[in-house]
Amino acid sequence: MPTNLSDSISVYDEALKSLPGPDASRVLDVLIARDTVARALQNGAVATSTDVARLAAVDEKLKDAAVAINAQAGAKTLSGWRQSVHPLNGPWWWFLDERAAATESHVNPLWTIPAMLFFALSLSVIAETLTTLRSGGINGLTVFGTLLQTILTLVAGSAFLGAGREWLEKLFSQIGISRRFRGASRVWLALTVLILTLVIRIALPDLVAHYRSDKGDEALANKQVPQAVQNYEQAVALKPGFVKAHFNLALAYDRANDYSKAIDAYERSIKFEPDNYIAYNNLARLYILHKKDYKSALGRLDHLRSNLQNLPSNLPYYVFKNRGWANLELGYHRQAAEDLEWA
């Protein structure tokens, strides 16, 4: 317990320097320390010019910290302390919540416009994300991503409500950030949330597409062809340029004997990956088997024959077998015989 005015001022100053603290008790320590200084003066303590100057300086710091203190302790807590310690007309330092409110009343209301705009954009991004992810079906990634976007947007929206602001201010004060979410601070919060929702919007469809593709691979390996088709369809719907998923979707259609869709999928795969020689060969086989378009099949197979040095080691056999088949159907028996002999 300080024994003189100078010591009391020192304790008061050190208590103020300890803010912000891990909890509201540090604020109460400051107010009690200021009471101790006032009590010393009331009891006739001799105040030197140095003491008065120090006290005035620390008091000014306390007034400047009113907004931060109100954010840490909360107006309700400060009011409760005041009613317990000074139920009648208490000294000014027990009214820091009112000082903070008076300070905030001067915030330019125009700051609300960009904050509301960013908040509305965040809502639209969430709606667009939900629309996009609908084609990928419901899974853990989509639920987590959209839930995270929603929580972030609710955090930004809470800054527009009194109770929400107080909750945010207490939350941030616990991690050592003293902010009153009005004016510019509210705009920065809404902008940060908008940026995060956009990042999720951009990244999430890609992540879900790869997740669906992996599930399709598992299903195809286990000969669960309908499930593989469904997963690959969802993958390419979410990521139209997903080369691997397009080719695997063609394979899945092929194995499901859905030849029309397989032909379309192989052709899309070749557009995305012109060097996919397996897709060329499979497409030629389906031209022969399903469309009976032998000339188009030979066109694809001739492309492969001109790139024999680049083909996988096991593919030339199928290329010449299919060429022999197509030539035979066209009545080119000598050419068919040569192709089949080569195979």
Side-chain angles (χ1 to χ4, degrees):
M1 192 73 178
T3 56
N4 55 49
L5 180 60
S6 180
D7 291 341
S8 298
I9 296 172
S10 296
V11 171
Y12 168 39
D13 190 20
E14 290 301 318
L16 184 57
K17 288 178 181 177
S18 70
L19 296 180
D23 52 54
S25 64
R26 295 285 182 88
V27 175
L28 186 57
D29 290 341
V30 173
L31 302 180
I32 293 173
R34 185 58 180 86
D35 272 356
T36 302
V37 174
R39 195 174 301 113
L41 289 169
Q42 290 171 357
N43 291 338
V46 177
T48 65
S49 59
T50 302
D51 291 334
V52 173
R54 285 181 63 208
L55 179 58
V58 180
D59 278 347
E60 199 60 35
K61 292 178 185 177
L62 181 59
K63 293 173 184 176
D64 291 340
V67 172
I69 287 172
N70 192 43
Q72 181 174 351
K76 184 177 179 181
T77 300
L78 290 171
S79 177
W81 289 344
R82 179 167 63 245
Q83 292 171 16
S84 297
V85 180
H86 293 282
L88 300 177
N89 293 326
W92 63 263
W93 54 89
W94 286 95
F95 291 84
L96 295 176
D97 53 327
E98 295 180 4
R99 176 177 287 273
T103 300
E104 290 173 346
S105 65
H106 299 296
V107 174
N108 191 333
L110 291 178
W111 282 113
T112 303
I113 296 174
M116 288 293 291
L117 175 62
F118 293 144
F119 177 66
L121 287 173
S122 297
L123 290 175
S124 68
V125 169
I126 292 176
E128 186 183 353
T129 303
L130 289 170
T131 302
T132 302
L133 292 179
R134 190 179 301 146
S135 59
I138 298 175
N139 56 70
L141 271 176
T142 59
V143 171
F144 173 76
T146 52
L147 183 61
L148 182 58
Q149 280 186 315
T150 303
I151 291 172
L152 288 170
T153 306
L154 287 175
V155 166
S158 65
F160 294 94
L161 303 173
R165 279 196 302 274
E166 187 171 348
W167 172 77
L168 278 176
E169 289 155 5
K170 286 185 177 180
L171 178 66
F172 276 81
S173 69
Q174 289 176 0
I175 57 175
I177 300 175
S178 179
R179 284 286 183 274
R180 293 291 284 172
F181 289 99
R182 295 174 182 265
S185 294
R186 185 161 55 190
V187 173
W188 283 112
L189 175 65
L191 178 60
T192 301
V193 168
L194 174 59
I195 291 170
L196 290 174
T197 55
L198 282 171
V199 169
I200 295 171
R201 165 66 185 86
I202 293 168
L204 194 57
D206 186 78
L207 290 172
V208 176
H210 282 272
Y211 170 80
R212 284 301 184 190
S213 178
D214 291 343
K215 287 294 182 182
D217 293 344
E218 292 177 14
L220 202 59
N222 294 323
K223 300 182 179 180
Q224 298 170 333
V225 178
Q227 292 90 330
V229 167
Q230 182 182 29
N231 278 288
Y232 290 135
E233 285 177 340
Q234 291 172 339
V236 298
L238 288 168
K239 188 179 179 182
F242 198 168
V243 177
K244 174 177 176 287
H246 276 290
F247 176 61
N248 287 339
L249 177 59
L251 291 176
Y253 282 142
D254 201 345
R255 293 188 188 180
N257 299 326
D258 193 342
Y259 297 131
S260 295
K261 288 184 178 180
I263 288 171
D264 291 340
Y266 280 130
E267 288 177 341
R268 282 194 301 273
S269 179
I270 289 169
K271 287 180 181 178
F272 284 117
E273 191 179 15
D275 294 335
N276 189 336
Y277 300 119
I278 296 175
Y280 268 101
N281 181 69
N282 290 356
L283 181 59
R285 175 176 53 79
L286 291 182
Y287 273 134
I288 297 168
L289 178 67
H290 179 64
K291 297 186 76 172
K292 311 300 181 184
D293 186 351
Y294 307 115
K295 289 186 177 180
S296 294
L298 282 176
R300 302 297 189 278
L301 294 167
D302 285 343
H303 172 75
L304 294 177
R305 190 176 64 169
S306 65
N307 288 278
L308 281 177
Q309 69 278 10
N310 298 322
L311 302 187
S313 58
N314 64 331
L315 191 58
Y317 162 76
Y318 296 100
V319 171
F320 282 95
K321 184 192 77 168
N322 289 330
R323 272 182 57 82
W325 184 4
N327 279 313
L328 185 62
E329 294 289 347
L330 288 169
Y332 305 149
H333 297 108
R334 186 175 62 83
Q335 185 61 56
E338 290 179 4
D339 288 332
L340 293 173
E341 284 177 4
W342 201 102

